[in-house]
Amino acid sequence: MARIAYLECTNCGEQISADQPQTICPKDGGVLYVRYDLAGLKPTFTAASLFGRTPSMWRYAEVLPEAEPVSLAEGFTPMLPSREFPNVHIKDEALNPTGSFKARGMSAAVTMARAYGLKKLAVASAGNAASALAAYSAAAGIEAHIFMPRDAPLAQRVECESYGACVTLVDGLISDCERMIAERKEKEGWVDVSALKEPFRMEGKKTLGYEVAEQLAWRLPHGIIYSTGDGVGLIGMWKAFDEMQQLGWIGSERPQMIAVQAAGCAPIVEAWDEGKSSTDLWREADTLAAGMRVPKPYGDYLILDILKKSGGIALSVSDEEIMDALRHWAKVEGIFASPEGAAGLAAYRKLRANEFFAEKDTVVLFNTASGLKYLDVIEKHKRGAQRRSASRPLGGIIGPY
Ligand SMILES: [Zn+2]
């Protein structure tokens, strides 16, 4: 772990060695950030030094854990110019292994798990993190124990089982899955790699920030719209921007960071609107965007702080707006997005309509995962919409269904 200087609590500033596996701050449960000797790296780790490197997230190896990577060639996904909006870029994370952005975090987390000699990993996931852990664990020869809500998209479960993971379907939400892991992990010898319960998924996710900067020729966009469940990517990108500034790759400019959530589970939006620095548990979370059914994100205080510092905002979009955006993206851009990814487009439309963003503003959206992982969800919604329109012979009436 030579490259890692120390782990630092985002809450109390406590510094902890990374020589042994760590989870959260032992004093106050704060999220731990991995810190590097960036001043020492600065003379040789330059933007120009990236030229010709591997087209995966491991091209930024100097600011990732120093261990033999467990890699399936994740990251360095395309940044597609929107065909519809001149200054919008769509980072297509569907092209990652396991078809989602969760591959980044799991590549880093499983890399470190193997380096530490861990044998059994567990995760609570509404979907994509589960199949990513299952795949990377298979690649590393480590046991994966998956806890997912019973109503998670079918593809995720089938993938996990195919990768040889041990899958437990839970009648409840991701918070119930987390509780089950917490109750059993000591006895079973599991290490919890749920979002922000260990420091390395963030390190993988932060490479989104490095790639956005590199792919936009080191000029950060005006805005970044991020579909926020656990929010690790948003937090990670912000960390990456700070690191890049210390490395001298970018200046002090920052994008406005926008958190979009589903109206049926919007704890960050609620806290933001009320000016709070942490969230209350969202009761009866209900949205077809499974990745955004996170009733209380563990890093809520970090997300809210970043929104504030960046001059950003939190907003919610309805399932109907999400599914409309999903179909629109597919038809207009040729991108078959996940509901969570499509939420970014729905948010962008709202932020253009209320003039938060102007046409000239460069904005990056993320298609977080492939729509192919949600065929059952998309088909079910379509059938429901057809049923609803058939049972409503009067045109033009839009009800709150
Ligand atoms: Zn602490």
Side-chain angles (χ1 to χ4, degrees):
M1 317 307 152
R3 204 182 283 142
I4 298 172
Y6 52 87
L7 307 175
E8 183 180 35
C9 176
T10 50
N11 204 31
C12 69
E14 176 83 354
Q15 295 186 3
I16 301 166
S17 165
D19 290 345
Q20 300 295 320
Q22 301 291 343
T23 52
I24 49 180
C25 175
K27 282 188 176 170
D28 56 15
V31 172
L32 298 179
Y33 274 180
V34 180
R35 296 299 191 193
Y36 307 85
D37 175 16
L38 295 171
L41 287 171
K42 192 175 177 181
T44 52
F45 187 41
T46 61
S49 74
L50 299 173
F51 183 77
R53 290 193 182 194
T54 178
S56 84
M57 74 174 202
W58 293 96
R59 67 197 277 102
Y60 312 105
E62 283 88 337
V63 285
L64 289 170
E66 190 167 24
E68 181 59 37
V70 179
S71 177
L72 297 166
E74 50 292 316
F76 218 63
T77 52
M79 181 84 93
L80 303 170
S82 165
R83 287 166 166 78
E84 182 177 22
F85 302 107
N87 293 304
V88 168
H89 300 266
I90 303 160
K91 190 143 174 68
D92 196 356
E93 289 288 290
L95 278 84
N96 277 302
T98 72
S100 92
F101 66 158
K102 299 283 183 180
R104 296 174 186 268
M106 287 306 180
S107 175
V110 174
T111 290
M112 287 306 287
R114 185 171 71 177
Y116 285 131
L118 305 179
K119 302 286 184 226
K120 297 178 183 182
L121 303 178
V123 75
S125 167
N128 285 315
S131 52
L133 176 64
Y136 285 91
S137 296
I142 290 174
E143 274 180 36
H145 296 266
I146 310 289
F147 289 77
M148 61 166 64
R150 191 173 293 282
D151 59 355
L154 175 67
Q156 320 285 11
R157 178 169 61 77
V158 175
E159 278 184 277
C160 289
E161 288 168 354
S162 300
Y163 289 125
C166 179
V167 180
T168 304
L169 297 177
V170 177
D171 291 312
L173 294 169
I174 192 166
S175 41
D176 301 300
C177 299
E178 283 169 358
R179 184 174 38 76
M180 290 178 76
I181 293 176
E183 286 166 4
R184 291 176 58 190
K185 66 181 178 187
E186 207 157 313
K187 181 164 164 275
E188 304 279 357
W190 298 336
V191 174
D192 188 355
V193 293
S194 299
L196 301 173
K197 297 292 173 62
E198 58 76 55
F200 296 106
R201 279 179 64 180
M202 166 96 67
E203 292 306 285
K205 262 315 185 34
K206 83 176 179 190
T207 58
L208 280 172
Y210 280 88
E211 290 177 24
V212 165
E214 185 175 359
Q215 291 174 322
L216 294 179
W218 309 109
R219 284 177 63 102
L220 296 183
H222 294 100
I224 283 184
I225 299 181
Y226 194 79
S227 303
T228 305
D230 52 44
V232 180
L234 186 142
I235 302 166
M237 280 192 276
W238 194 255
K239 179 174 187 282
F241 298 149
D242 279 347
E243 290 176 0
M244 282 188 278
Q245 186 178 354
Q246 290 181 58
L247 289 166
W249 296 7
I250 60 170
S252 59
E253 76 280 7
R254 294 288 183 273
Q256 290 177 291
M257 303 296 278
I258 314 295
V260 54
Q261 297 202 292
C265 184
I268 294 286
V269 179
E270 184 182 64
W272 175 258
D273 288 345
E274 293 174 3
K276 291 182 179 169
S277 56
S278 65
T279 58
D280 295 325
L281 182 76
W282 187 273
R283 303 278 168 195
E284 294 174 27
D286 180 22
T287 168
L288 51 76
M292 294 200 286
R293 280 199 299 251
V294 182
K296 184 167 174 52
Y298 197 75
D300 54 1
Y301 63 104
L302 297 169
I303 298 167
L304 289 160
D305 185 49
I306 292 165
L307 298 184
K308 200 169 166 183
K309 281 184 179 149
S310 73
I313 194 173
L315 78 163
S316 63
V317 291
S318 70
D319 280 5
E320 290 305 318
E321 288 168 328
I322 289 173
M323 295 311 284
D324 179 62
L326 188 152
R327 287 186 289 269
H328 183 80
W329 238 359
K331 284 177 186 157
V332 173
E333 307 278 2
I335 294 172
F336 185 36
S338 61
E340 297 85 358
L345 172 62
Y348 177 74
R349 286 167 147 185
K350 282 193 167 179
L351 294 170
R352 280 294 302 279
N354 69 12
E355 299 181 347
F356 185 91
F357 286 128
E359 185 178 4
K360 64 174 174 45
D361 294 333
T362 312
V363 176
V364 174
L365 310 179
F366 298 86
N367 176 30
T368 52
S370 170
L372 293 174
K373 302 195 76 170
Y374 297 81
L375 292 180
D376 49 340
V377 177
I378 295 166
E379 184 69 5
K380 192 174 158 199
H381 179 268
K382 188 179 156 195
R383 290 222 182 102
Q386 282 168 346
R387 259 200 314 278
R388 285 193 295 274
S389 67
S391 65
R392 285 166 200 271
L394 293 173
I397 297 177
I398 299 171
Y401 23 81

